[in-house]
Amino acid sequence: LAYDRCLAKPDPLWMAPVLANRGNALARLGRVDEAAEAYRRAVEIEPSRSSHYANWSRLCLDAGRLDEALRVCQDGLARSTTDLLHARLHGDMAFAYAESGDAESCLQSADEAVRLDPSGIRERYLRGRALALLGRLTEARDVQRGILRDDATNADATRALAMIERALRTSRPWWKF
């Protein structure tokens, strides 16, 4: 990778961004462990930069490493000095909690993500997903409808809305459709 040349003659000012970009490149190549290590090193050098945590958590989520993603998000929220990407980190936590079946924690994280970014489609979708997991289907339906008013082509909201509406008409859990 081209980033390896930059790391061979490190410039302290650019070391963390170079490591983060290297992590991005490795992630695209499917080299998850190496990418995670690059992000870890970037965070070690520049712990207050939220984008390092956001990239690392997304890598973990994509790889199904939910516990690691949660830890990375929690560290990022505690250590980063700007809230620029805090909504994304809370959204990543909501996704990890939803995937692990923890609906209450999913809703808490999604609520915080929506508070930080009320217009965020992903954050609102995750809130609706949490509500559905908790059996609050009417509220979940309203959230998905709101997303579709803002983005009529959103495939996730369209699919979720169809599942929720079928569940409201029957006694089957919405996620079984």
Side-chain angles (χ1 to χ4, degrees):
L1 295 172
Y3 298 109
D4 293 336
R5 288 191 298 273
C6 294
L7 294 172
K9 296 179 183 176
D11 177 343
L13 182 64
W14 293 104
M15 183 65 101
V18 167
L19 284 165
N21 287 332
R22 184 175 194 276
N24 293 340
L26 289 165
R28 285 187 192 89
L29 293 171
R31 294 163 58 181
V32 175
D33 291 332
E34 292 172 85
E37 177 60 18
Y39 293 135
R40 186 198 63 72
R41 289 179 58 205
V43 161
E44 190 176 90
I45 294 167
E46 197 174 26
S48 63
R49 189 171 191 155
S50 56
S51 61
H52 299 327
Y53 299 97
N55 289 330
W56 190 1
S57 70
R58 188 58 51 89
L59 170 79
C60 294
L61 291 174
D62 290 346
R65 294 157 76 160
L66 303 179
D67 290 338
E68 184 178 354
L70 288 169
R71 183 187 53 73
V72 168
C73 290
Q74 290 162 348
D75 288 350
L77 290 167
R79 297 172 72 192
S80 64
T81 56
T82 67
D83 64 353
L84 180 63
L85 292 175
H86 283 195
R88 179 172 157 190
L89 291 172
H90 281 289
D92 285 355
M93 288 176 63
F95 182 85
Y97 285 130
E99 290 295 299
S100 65
D102 185 347
E104 287 290 340
S105 296
C106 177
L107 182 58
Q108 288 175 345
S109 293
D111 279 344
E112 184 61 15
V114 169
R115 185 188 70 75
L116 293 169
D117 185 7
S119 63
I121 297 290
R122 178 175 182 260
E123 291 76 10
R124 290 164 44 208
Y125 168 81
L126 289 164
R127 183 173 189 281
R129 183 176 176 189
L131 290 166
L133 288 170
L134 290 167
R136 295 164 56 181
L137 297 180
T138 303
E139 293 172 82
R141 179 188 61 199
D142 292 344
V143 169
Q144 302 306 337
R145 284 179 175 167
I147 291 168
L148 291 170
R149 272 193 298 279
D150 294 341
D151 178 6
T153 63
N154 188 289
D156 291 330
T158 300
R159 189 171 30 260
L161 181 59
M163 292 166 50
I164 291 166
E165 287 178 339
R166 275 183 290 203
L168 285 167
R169 290 190 304 267
T170 69
S171 61
R172 287 175 54 189
W174 75 277
W175 61 88
K176 298 285 185 179
F177 288 99

